[in-house]
Amino acid sequence: MPEGPAPAPVTQRLRIRYAKRGRLRFTSHRDISRAVERAVRRAGIPVAHSAGFTPHPKISYTGAAATGVASEAEYLEIGLTEPRDPDRVRAELDAALPDGLDVLDAVAVPPGSGRASALADRLEASEWRVRLDGVAADAARAAVAAFLAAETVEVERLTKKGRRRFDARSAVSRCEVDRRASEAADAPCAILRMVVRHTTPAVRPDDILTGLRQVADLAPPSPPLVTRLAQGPLDAATGGPTDPLGPDRETARPTGDDAGSAAAAALRPPAVGTDAAGALA
């Protein structure tokens, strides 16, 4: 058994959304996790650690994008030994991370939340932006139409379990050419917007591009630029993902007397000599 006192328990969990931008999209997930751990130490955030001979910070990642893919919606959860204001942690962690890894949001997990509220369970779909340089928008539209009209589009990919063949069409909730973005681009290209459900095996944007090549011989002359725009629960009305941190925000809102006090404070006019923000006029 390792000697010394037991590690401090987790008293608060934070869920954090961060972006992977620019050249940082080529960073591996392992390197990103190392960068986050260094930033946590540098910022003095009281992260909890596991027990044992080699304690590890209690930081978990969910639905990480592949190497080479940019993202505006990556998520991690961190366990703290002391309660901290989520906005303060967001700012401190963002300042300690390298440019291109940008912390966008932080929300406290309500006390008593169990497996039923696990963040991974909420990530049902992702919205992707795929830029295809050198591809005409009309050709892309025709390929997308052929793909969506097909009942199944089987593709093959090498996975950790060997080469697997699976249907890429069934995972696609929505796919279209973004006409305005394509026309406004700095070079001739077609820009696709697609919503893809999280399935097993996972269907990735490159699998869908393989499907477009199969059904319509669409072959971009250069590698695509792929960005995840969002991931979260799939909204049946819009067909797109919604904010996965929304339920935590809703639970954290004041209720009862606290809600009444907060509402009254919001409606109360500022004191004489101050502006609406409470600063001296």
Side-chain angles (χ1 to χ4, degrees):
M1 294 292 291
E3 298 180 356
V10 173
T11 61
Q12 183 187 44
R13 288 184 295 148
L14 298 181
R15 287 170 176 163
I16 292 173
R17 175 189 173 201
Y18 67 97
K20 184 173 63 163
R21 297 167 171 161
R23 292 185 298 175
L24 268 295
R25 71 182 186 273
F26 297 110
T27 305
S28 70
H29 177 63
R30 178 174 295 182
D31 287 337
I32 287 177
S33 64
R34 289 172 179 167
V36 170
E37 290 177 14
R38 287 195 298 267
V40 165
R41 291 195 299 270
R42 191 177 301 121
I45 297 171
V47 61
H49 286 76
S50 62
F53 289 99
T54 55
H56 298 286
K58 290 193 173 183
I59 304 174
S60 59
Y61 299 82
T62 302
T67 303
V69 174
S71 178
E72 294 295 313
E74 300 296 285
Y75 292 92
L76 64 84
E77 185 170 301
I78 182 170
L80 304 184
T81 59
E82 301 173 13
R84 285 288 188 272
D85 175 59
D87 287 337
R88 173 184 169 187
V89 172
R90 184 206 61 75
E92 292 175 342
L93 188 57
D94 183 61
L97 282 168
D99 291 340
L101 287 180
D102 303 314
V103 183
L104 307 178
D105 199 2
V107 177
V109 180
S113 296
R115 175 63 190 170
S117 67
L119 183 59
D121 295 338
R122 300 177 189 172
L123 303 184
E124 299 175 344
S126 290
E127 182 176 2
W128 300 93
R129 180 182 186 270
V130 182
R131 172 168 168 154
L132 305 175
D133 284 306
V135 173
D138 288 342
R141 271 191 288 270
V144 167
F147 180 89
L148 295 178
E151 290 187 6
T152 61
V153 179
E154 290 195 345
V155 300
E156 195 173 80
R157 171 161 47 89
L158 185 62
T159 69
K160 293 180 180 180
K161 297 183 178 180
R163 189 164 293 279
R164 298 192 64 177
R165 190 170 184 81
F166 51 91
D167 177 24
R169 171 64 187 90
S170 60
V172 179
S173 173
R174 186 174 72 225
C175 186
E176 60 190 5
V177 176
D178 190 330
R179 180 179 60 83
R180 292 185 179 180
S182 301
E183 293 175 351
D186 54 0
C189 68
I191 295 177
L192 306 183
R193 295 281 291 264
M194 58 182 73
V195 175
V196 184
R197 287 184 290 273
H198 296 178
T199 58
T200 303
V203 175
R204 308 185 312 203
D206 56 307
D207 297 321
I208 297 168
L209 294 179
T210 299
L212 293 174
R213 184 169 62 249
Q214 288 181 188
V215 300
D217 198 28
L218 185 73
S222 59
L225 296 177
V226 181
T227 302
R228 173 152 48 200
L229 302 177
Q231 62 173 325
L234 188 60
D235 189 320
T238 65
T242 58
D243 180 15
L245 303 183
D248 301 319
R249 264 187 273 270
E250 289 292 332
T251 306
R253 287 180 180 176
T255 58
D257 294 339
D258 291 339
S261 299
L267 294 174
R268 189 181 303 125
V272 176
T274 63
D275 59 16
L280 289 177

